[in-house]
Amino acid sequence: MTATEGPSAGEGAAVTRGDSRTDTEGRGTAVRAEPARRRGDTVAEVVRQWRAVHPDLDTGPMEVIGRINRCSALLQQAEDAPLRRAGLTRPEFDLLGALRRTGRELTPSELARETFSSGAAVTKRLKQLTERGLVERRGDTRDRRVAHVRLTDAGRDLVDGVLPAQLAYETAVLSGLQGPERGELAALLGELLGQLEGRPGTLRA
């Protein structure tokens, strides 16, 4: 197991909750949830194990990347639940979301760029979404090889129905962070993402 792996969401869910203790008079007192690095989250244990096996290696990057990957897995598992209830996969919702947030028709190649997907994958998803009546395609009047895709009323209603539930969950997840902490975390993640998106080739071994 590497630092990017860990137990299932159910096994790891407990690390996100606060704790309670009993004082000397037997009264229960709430204890504010401490940062994961101090309480010992699942990644911390994995890093500890790797340090024991390879004490000569710098495992510092695992503490960052491992937690990013672990958070991503737990968040996506929870956020995909309403999509499954709506009969959608995450990639399909991303296509619908791209059409909704841009507010205009997009070509398949534009959708591929917006959703970081291959052209073949977008074509397959569009076929399925078209059959369900969630999107519709029209040919370009000047170039028959080009198609323009737009949401149907049903597709727009589906996106607008799912999005509030996802945002409510994300708000609940971040409720333990104060405004400045959220801003700092967003800025740091933005810097990392910018590096990965801007120089993907140079970051590979």
Side-chain angles (χ1 to χ4, degrees), residues 1 8 14 24 32-33 37 51 62 70 72 75 83 102 111 139 155 169 173 186:
M1 180 185 296
S8 65
T24 56
R32 185 179 183 275
R37 64 181 180 275
R51 283 176 177 168
M62 285 186 182
R70 180 70 176 136
S72 176
L75 288 169
L83 300 185
T102 58
L111 282 168
Y169 172 75
V173 167

Side-chain angles (χ1 to χ4, degrees), residues 91-103:
E92 289 172 342
F93 181 76
D94 287 343
L95 281 181
L96 297 177
L99 291 167
R100 184 66 173 117
R101 59 184 164 79
T102 58

Side-chain angles (χ1 to χ4, degrees), residues 7 22 33 117 140 156 165-167 191:
T22 302
S117 303
D140 190 279
R156 184 176 59 254
Q166 290 202 322
L167 290 175
E191 290 182 14

